Amino acid sequence: MGPAHLLPTHSTQIFRRCKGLTSFRLYIRHYATQPESAALQRKKVWASADAAVQDVKSGDIVLSGGFGLCGTPETLITALSRRNDVHSLTAVSNNAGSSDLGLVKLMKSGQLDKLIISYLGGNKYLERMYLDGKMSLELVPQGTLVERMRAHGAGIPAFFTPTGASTTVETGGIPIRFKAGGFKEGILIPGNKKEYREFNGKRYIMEPAIAGDVAFIHAWKADEAGNLMFRHVANNYNNAMARNAQLVIAEAEEIVPIGSLPPNAVHVPGIFVDRVVQATEPKGFDIIATAPPPGTTGGSSPEELLEKSTRRRIAKRAAQELRDGFYVNLGVGIPTLVTEYLRPGVKIWLQSENGILGMGPFPTEDQVDPDITNAGKETVTLLPGASIFDSTDSFGMIRGGHMDVAILGAMQVSQAGNIANFMIPGKLHHICTWTHVTPPGIGGAMDLVSNPEKTKVIVAMEHCAKDGGPKIMQECSLPLTGARAVSQIITELAVFNVDRSGGFLTLMEVAKGVTVEEVQAKTACDFKVSDNLGQM
């Protein structure tokens, strides 16, 4: 009988010890095994979302996946909103939904007491509740938020990050709750001040992990063992949240038998998931942005629009900083126009914070997909060679300095490269006369400027505010997004290089017809003039 006949039919491990070249001994170790039917004894598939959320208690911390409405566990949120006995909840999410979708349902039902989020989106209801002192709100940088949840799931109580160092995130300058009557009455709960340390000469702040009691997850497919697959950008926060909470409930668009999901395709192993229910609520869109059908004619070309648009002239100049093959993140506002003015032969890889590398243009109407959206919540497409990943990986590549360039808008920039682009005190949504750039909340901006040693940060903005006031300052008067982060400033009047260590600006170029004296009159700080001053 040969060695093959000695092997049992289940679970053996073979060790061979060779002596010389011609002889060996065969050691066989037997492991206890269970019948295949035993895998189903721990039932994870529940009959309904209403039944699955019955163990949620008042005062729980509820993690809710999604980025905008992409990947939002709408079925589970709707079921929880019917639980009138549950109140005083803390919800953790990237944003709080919009219109009547997402976590807005729990706000309007009076079940939420506090939100820990990064981004308000167009949520006017939440903004009013917070500013009136009726809701606690902890604003957290986007990458820090997902890392705080990932950390707890991995057994890490806290970590140090450069994101938010030397800003109101470090000092606790953003109040968590105002007194009854609103922000004019004063602060009831101040922001959380963070410990800081320096590593290799750079400042970092300590962020505590977030521990969830319950996590609501939206998956594309789930099997009866709890293994989950996500579709496209719906991976986002869902992945990290599924690994965090004591009770993880996943709603799935499709529930399949064990063995149906290829092991290599599983995003979340079943060990993390406690309950699975069928998703029944339709997927929502934040913004359906579309391109005209192929072959459509009419309208002005990007070059024709240059003469009419200051913003486009800024974008065209910023595009000259990009080289073929660069990995680039473009902020909202003027930066979104940059791709229309890339030099011939230059192709770049666009990264979107919600988990895309290789983002393409807007889809045609027949290509619109609720699971393929950008960080601005708009529908987009994927280019050949694109990749999709969760928010942990997305901000790891940002914070780790793997991006070549980040181009952002700003409300103010200082001569040392400090940037302010996320908040005007008392105006969370920033709809004001200051700027076209209206980022509602911290979002991913603090992460994008956290590693300027490796990622070049360019600010593309109009030189002055609408009231004529300067936006390039000796010191920023608005809360900082990042300190000594900006390497270059591009406006319709001029291009400045920033010496971040020395704390001064050098004027490198002026626009056609613009004098150095005009730039000086509209800039609220001193600057040097390059010996080789050029024309934009």
Side-chain angles (χ1 to χ4, degrees):
M1 181 181 295
H5 293 90
L6 298 176
L7 299 181
T9 57
H10 297 289
S11 300
T12 59
Q13 186 172 359
I14 301 174
F15 301 90
R16 292 180 175 177
R17 295 181 181 176
C18 296
K19 296 181 179 179
L21 298 176
T22 58
S23 64
F24 66 89
R25 291 184 181 181
L26 179 64
Y27 295 85
I28 299 176
R29 182 176 178 184
H30 297 265
Y31 289 95
T33 61
Q34 294 178 320
E36 293 182 4
S37 59
L40 297 177
Q41 289 180 359
R42 186 175 179 180
K43 191 73 172 177
K44 292 191 176 183
V45 179
W46 286 54
S48 70
D50 290 304
V53 303
Q54 282 303 306
D55 290 323
V56 180
K57 308 180 300 300
S58 295
D60 274 353
I61 296 175
V62 179
L63 315 182
S64 181
F67 195 109
L69 296 178
C70 178
T72 300
E74 202 69 41
T75 300
L76 292 168
I77 292 171
T78 301
L80 184 57
S81 71
R82 293 192 283 261
R83 290 279 311 279
N84 297 327
D85 58 315
V86 175
H87 56 83
S88 304
L89 296 172
T90 294
V92 185
S93 190
N94 175 62
N95 55 285
S98 61
S99 186
D100 289 321
L101 299 175
L103 293 174
V104 173
K105 292 179 178 178
L106 301 184
M107 279 185 273
K108 292 188 174 181
S109 66
Q111 293 169 283
L112 287 187
D113 181 65
K114 180 180 179 180
L115 277 162
I116 302 175
I117 61 174
S118 174
Y119 192 87
L120 274 75
N123 197 325
K124 285 291 193 178
Y125 185 83
L126 169 57
E127 181 180 343
R128 194 72 266 148
M129 291 280 285
Y130 170 66
L131 293 177
D132 288 346
K134 298 177 181 179
M135 174 80 69
S136 294
L137 176 64
E138 184 179 343
L139 285 173
V140 183
Q142 219 162 67
T144 298
L145 182 60
V146 71
E147 192 67 16
R148 287 175 66 182
M149 290 182 285
R150 188 207 67 82
H152 176 73
I156 299 170
F159 58 90
F160 282 92
T161 176
T163 302
S166 301
T167 75
T168 51
V169 171
E170 177 182 328
T171 62
I174 305 176
I176 291 175
R177 191 167 191 144
F178 294 107
K179 292 180 179 178
F183 69 93
K184 294 180 181 179
E185 300 298 322
I187 297 170
L188 179 65
I189 304 174
N192 298 318
K193 189 174 181 179
K194 306 294 170 58
E195 176 186 339
Y196 77 90
R197 293 187 188 178
E198 287 194 1
F199 299 91
N200 300 318
K202 185 170 179 175
R203 193 179 186 96
Y204 294 76
I205 59 176
M206 189 176 78
E207 291 281 3
I210 294 175
D213 296 303
V214 183
F216 287 174
I217 308 301
H218 181 92
W220 177 32
K221 294 183 180 181
D223 69 13
E224 294 167 336
N227 295 310
L228 305 181
M229 287 177 60
F230 303 113
R231 185 174 182 274
H232 297 317
V233 182
N235 196 333
N236 52 59
Y237 277 70
N238 280 299
N239 208 320
M241 289 181 172
R243 291 162 160 77
N244 178 291
Q246 294 182 36
L247 174 62
V248 175
I249 309 173
E251 61 176 66
E253 297 168 36
E254 185 178 350
I255 301 174
V256 298
I258 289 177
S260 300
L261 302 182
N264 280 337
V266 171
H267 292 113
V268 177
I271 191 172
F272 296 109
V273 179
D274 300 293
R275 299 175 186 179
V276 175
V277 300
Q278 180 67 49
T280 56
E281 294 289 326
K283 295 180 182 180
F285 289 90
D286 287 280
I287 303 171
I288 299 178
T290 59
T296 301
T297 59
S300 301
S301 70
E303 291 299 324
E304 291 171 333
L305 292 170
L306 277 174
E307 296 302 318
K308 305 175 184 178
S309 173
T310 296
R311 291 155 56 80
R312 286 182 172 272
R313 292 197 294 274
I314 298 169
K316 183 176 181 179
R317 176 58 187 84
Q320 306 310 303
E321 298 299 315
L322 304 182
R323 303 291 182 264
D324 189 45
F326 267 18
Y327 296 101
V328 181
N329 185 288
L330 300 177
V332 298
I334 292 172
T336 61
L337 302 171
V338 167
T339 55
E340 297 185 34
Y341 297 100
L342 294 175
R343 292 175 299 169
V346 172
K347 296 181 179 179
I348 61 174
W349 293 98
L350 282 181
Q351 197 258 14
S352 185
E353 298 100 295
N354 57 333
I356 301 175
L357 186 61
M359 182 173 64
F362 294 143
T364 56
E365 287 188 4
D366 61 329
Q367 292 176 319
V368 167
D369 188 326
D371 292 328
I372 307 178
T373 58
N374 63 18
K377 319 299 187 296
E378 300 166 314
T379 51
V380 292
T381 56
L382 303 175
L383 295 177
S387 56
I388 299 289
F389 32 85
D390 73 348
S391 295
T392 301
D393 279 346
S394 180
F395 284 97
M397 64 180 66
I398 290 170
R399 198 172 48 246
H402 302 284
M403 308 303 299
D404 292 298
V405 176
I407 304 180
L408 306 174
M411 300 175 197
Q412 293 177 345
V413 183
S414 80
Q415 64 184 34
N418 297 344
I419 177 174
N421 76 347
F422 85 97
M423 185 179 188
I424 295 175
K427 290 188 177 182
L428 276 184
H429 202 58
H430 322 143
I431 297 179
C432 58
T433 60
W434 263 86
T435 176
H436 291 285
V437 182
T438 56
I442 295 176
M446 286 191 179
D447 297 281
L448 286 165
V449 303
S450 67
N451 198 342
E453 297 83 8
K454 293 184 177 180
T455 298
K456 182 179 181 179
V457 178
I458 300 172
V459 165
M461 67 178 187
E462 291 173 305
H463 204 95
C464 297
K466 282 191 174 182
D467 65 0
K471 294 168 66 176
I472 302 175
M473 322 281 288
Q474 184 174 1
E475 294 289 346
C476 295
S477 59
L478 295 174
L480 294 186
T481 304
R484 295 183 181 266
V486 178
S487 293
Q488 190 173 50
I489 306 169
I490 299 173
T491 75
E492 77 279 13
L493 301 181
V495 176
F496 292 95
N497 284 351
V498 184
D499 187 318
R500 294 184 294 105
S501 58
F504 63 86
L505 302 177
T506 300
L507 180 64
M508 304 301 296
E509 301 174 18
V510 292
K512 184 178 180 180
V514 174
T515 65
V516 173
E517 290 72 24
E518 181 181 354
V519 175
Q520 287 174 328
K522 296 180 178 179
T523 304
C525 65
D526 294 331
F527 55 82
K528 298 180 179 181
V529 179
S530 171
D531 293 336
N532 298 309
L533 184 65
Q535 180 176 298
M536 290 174 65

